[in-house]
Amino acid sequence: MSDPLNTPVVRHSPSTGAGSPDVWGIYEPDTGSIQYICADPATKKAALIDVVWNFDPKNYRFSTEAIDQVLDLVAEHGLEVEWVLDTHPHADHVMASAQLKERTGAPNAIGALVPQIAKIWADLYNLPDAFDAERDFDHLFEEGETFKIGELEAKVMLSPGHTLGSISYVCGDAAFVHDTLMQPDAGTSRSDFPGGDTGELWESIQEILALPGDTRLYIGHDYGTKDRKEPRWEATVDEHKAHNIHVKDGTEREVYIERRQTRDETLSLPNRILAALQINLRGGRLPPAEDDGHHYLKLPVNRFD
């Protein structure tokens, strides 16, 4: 019998009525990432959110299984991709943004503070001129900015803490809240990467939990728990407020910060981070090929504990 945590999983969360999107969550088992399709039921226009470009960190080879799976779902349901969206430059997977833009023709977008994240990592890589978000993304979303997915209105929330420029996308009763919350039985995401801040993550989560109680919150990752061996990624605001083991109602800010920081001190860097960020800060593009026609990554040595 296959292990659900090691198997791609697709679940459809249907629209709940007027103004509410159809949502498909697609679990990518190698990184525990959840990729999303957010679609307007009336127009069949869709946004793709946080899609993975498969990367093998042992052999440094790329493949497109996750991209192909997402685009097959788009075709199966007769959808038209209107946006390619990311919530932040991911540390644990390589983003498919540039690949999807090329294959769908849709514009790609991310948050407006990504250039500040790029400055931190340009220093760590000693690559002062490598990253240019305005070059590599068609749009950089500001806090509070609105845009359309078909006839549905979507709004951008700045949600820093995991990174300094992470954003959430709220469309009707669906909110894509990336690496802020985990499932209620797993708590919250880490805040110890360069530019991260535990206090800011707490404030971001409080803003997310101030959304209407029936808002469906879609998280960025799930790894199961000792008691749960299948991936999950959807819970309502009310469910988080009642049951989230880190931030349920009654939790004090200082208690959360101490608990989160103590946990983060035990975590090592994700095994893809030093490759992934060098690509993701280029919008999911490899560095330019060198004179032999091949692409190379530059990795900092002795820069992290």
Side-chain angles (χ1 to χ4, degrees):
M1 185 174 180
S2 63
D3 179 356
L5 289 171
N6 290 319
T7 306
V9 177
V10 177
R11 297 193 189 111
H12 177 215
S13 182
S15 168
T16 61
S20 170
D22 278 318
V23 176
W24 285 266
I26 305 100
Y27 171 74
E28 197 287 303
D30 287 343
T31 60
S33 300
I34 322 299
Q35 313 156 100
Y36 294 103
I37 302 171
C38 176
D40 176 9
T43 66
K44 299 292 186 179
K45 299 289 182 66
L48 308 182
I49 304 172
D50 288 345
V51 179
V52 173
W53 185 14
N54 298 94
F55 170 65
D56 175 358
K58 293 181 179 179
N59 299 301
Y60 270 59
R61 296 194 68 86
F62 290 84
S63 56
T64 61
E65 296 94 338
I67 295 171
D68 296 339
Q69 182 184 23
V70 170
L71 292 180
D72 285 349
L73 276 170
V74 166
E76 176 184 344
H77 295 284
L79 304 175
E80 179 184 348
V81 178
E82 195 167 29
W83 287 99
V84 174
L85 306 176
D86 279 276
T87 54
H88 63 291
H90 309 278
D92 34 29
H93 74 257
V94 179
M95 65 169 62
S97 179
Q99 301 281 322
L100 290 169
K101 176 182 175 180
E102 181 176 344
R103 290 176 63 169
T104 68
N108 63 341
I110 201 165
L113 296 184
V114 165
Q116 294 186 30
I117 301 172
K119 288 180 181 178
I120 295 172
W121 286 92
D123 176 65
L124 288 166
Y125 289 119
N126 193 28
L127 289 171
D129 302 317
F131 310 129
D132 183 349
E134 293 185 356
R135 174 195 66 200
D136 293 326
F137 294 93
D138 294 305
H139 192 78
L140 300 178
F141 282 116
E142 300 282 353
E143 153 75 3
E145 188 172 348
T146 61
F147 62 101
K148 292 285 191 178
I149 302 173
E151 296 174 352
L152 300 178
E153 183 169 275
K155 182 178 180 179
V156 174
M157 292 176 61
L158 180 62
S159 302
H162 178 69
T163 77
L164 65 84
S166 300
I167 57 174
S168 298
Y169 298 105
V170 183
C171 182
D173 65 347
F176 301 89
V177 299
H178 57 92
D179 298 4
T180 51
L181 294 160
M182 303 289 280
Q183 280 297 93
D185 59 353
T188 62
S189 296
R190 64 192 295 177
S191 58
D192 61 322
F193 297 145
D197 184 275
T198 314
E200 288 187 347
L201 182 59
W202 166 267
E203 298 299 336
S204 295
I205 290 170
Q206 299 313 302
E207 290 189 22
I208 290 167
L209 296 182
L211 293 168
D214 61 352
T215 303
R216 299 172 286 167
L217 300 183
Y218 295 101
I219 59 173
H221 294 277
D222 187 63
Y223 312 106
T225 68
K226 64 181 179 67
D227 299 316
R228 174 171 57 81
K229 305 304 179 185
E230 55 149 0
R232 297 178 186 167
W233 52 81
E234 177 183 347
T236 65
V237 165
D238 281 345
E239 288 170 332
H240 277 281
K241 291 170 73 172
H243 304 296
N244 188 289
I245 62 172
H246 288 175
V247 292
K248 65 184 177 183
D249 281 350
T251 303
E252 296 181 358
R253 182 180 188 274
E254 292 73 17
V255 172
Y256 167 74
I257 290 175
E258 181 179 3
R259 182 176 188 177
R260 181 70 263 168
Q261 291 178 341
T262 299
R263 169 64 175 155
D264 288 351
E265 288 173 359
T266 71
L267 302 176
S268 58
L269 288 179
N271 63 359
R272 292 169 174 80
I273 183 173
L274 297 179
L277 279 170
Q278 198 170 156
I279 300 165
N280 292 344
L281 288 167
R282 291 180 166 98
R285 294 170 175 82
L286 295 173
E290 297 191 8
D291 57 7
D292 63 355
H294 294 287
H295 303 270
Y296 295 87
L297 297 174
K298 184 178 181 181
L299 303 179
V301 176
N302 292 334
R303 297 298 302 270
F304 299 93
D305 294 330

